[in-house]
Amino acid sequence: MTDHRTLLADYVTNGSEEAFRELVTRYIDLVYSTAVRLVNGDTHRAEDVAQTVFADLARLAGTLSKDVMLGGWLHRRTWHVATTLMRNERRRQNRERQAAEMNTLQECAETGFEQMLPFWMTPSINWAPATARRSCCAFSSIAISAPSAWRWEQ
């Protein structure tokens, strides 16, 4: 069995696809299992993370120290790629949620508050000042739309 340092050096100096293939074969289970844990069991994202990590290895192989512990480097790189992916995904979901809330508020303003309020609240809200009516409308529309958002995430 060839040492990972020899395989890495062969890939760096000669561009040996066989050496890189052997490195991938040896470390794919480590990288993939780490990625699955870090992306909360999402196998498709874990595959994307593993592919990115090995693409990074191919790109950065020449800059690695000849004494590098490749398993440790791959594990750390997997952690970095997966956490960045998950952070970006959370940010995207937050932006989408905020956009949906803004759309709901806009629809509320356009359609009239009576259509958005629960039936029992409509008669009493007519006596409230306009600012209170808008607040109740916004609260009611968010409360109505929340369960469908929860079902979508599951």
Side-chain angles (χ1 to χ4, degrees), residues 103-117 137-138 141 144:
N103 287 340
T104 302
L105 292 175
Q106 182 66 29
E107 290 171 6
C108 176
E110 291 172 357
T111 60
F113 70 92
E114 293 89 358
Q115 296 174 358
M116 299 297 285
L117 293 175
C137 177
S141 64
I144 291 169

